[in-house]
Amino acid sequence: MDIVRIGKFIGALHRRFQTAMNREITLPDINGTNANFLLFISEHDRVTAKQITTELAINKGLVSREMTRLEKAGYTTRTPDDTDHRTTWVSITPQGLAACKTIRQVKQSLWDQVLEDTPEADIETVFTELETWSNRAKKFDQSK
């Protein structure tokens, strides 16, 4: 087996989804990248930009720019921590929650098209393996 092809397929799948998301999402100031940020924020009570950077494996400059864009558009708020002024908490707004509903619908529609004939058990197996591999790959972050 040519193991390098796995990375090629994962990368191509990601890029194609980003392109499709950019085309399908019609929300103001939302694109395929910051849509993922918004979904991540919606899944947590509040997060820091560093957590987004770490969990989504995105560089901090891009996260900072997109956090500013999302806040200006009214999808998120940033609040300094009362005890540690170096920390800023990012929270989702009601407008952001509504946007997440639309984003999830678009993502579901795209995945339904890609996985249309794939048995549920196979999808579950792939999900479990990808989650395991992703967790193992986090050790690469520590080598910086």
Side-chain angles (χ1 to χ4, degrees), residues 37-139:
F37 297 175
L38 200 57
L39 289 175
F40 180 78
I41 296 164
S42 76
E43 294 164 359
H44 301 82
D45 182 28
R46 59 187 191 161
V47 298
T48 63
K50 182 174 174 80
Q51 287 172 304
I52 297 167
T53 298
T54 301
E55 288 300 314
L56 300 181
I58 306 288
N59 85 42
K60 64 183 178 179
L62 177 59
V63 170
S64 178
R65 285 188 303 278
E66 294 302 331
M67 289 299 95
T68 298
R69 178 179 290 162
L70 290 171
E71 185 176 31
K72 283 182 180 178
Y75 296 116
T76 62
T77 59
R78 289 191 269 192
T79 309
D81 187 285
D82 292 334
T83 58
D84 181 358
H85 295 289
R86 295 172 295 174
T87 301
T88 299
W89 296 105
V90 181
S91 301
I92 196 154
T93 65
Q95 181 182 345
L97 287 173
C100 285
K101 184 176 179 183
T102 300
I103 294 164
R104 283 187 181 91
Q105 289 170 341
V106 170
K107 281 185 172 277
Q108 186 66 53
S109 174
L110 294 172
W111 277 111
D112 287 348
Q113 292 173 56
V114 171
L115 301 173
E116 65 183 332
D117 296 327
T118 307
E120 187 68 33
D122 290 351
I123 295 169
E124 196 61 41
T125 298
V126 169
F127 174 84
T128 301
E129 290 301 321
L130 285 171
E131 183 178 38
T132 299
W133 298 341
S134 180
N135 287 332
R136 287 182 191 155
K138 286 180 181 178
K139 69 181 175 190

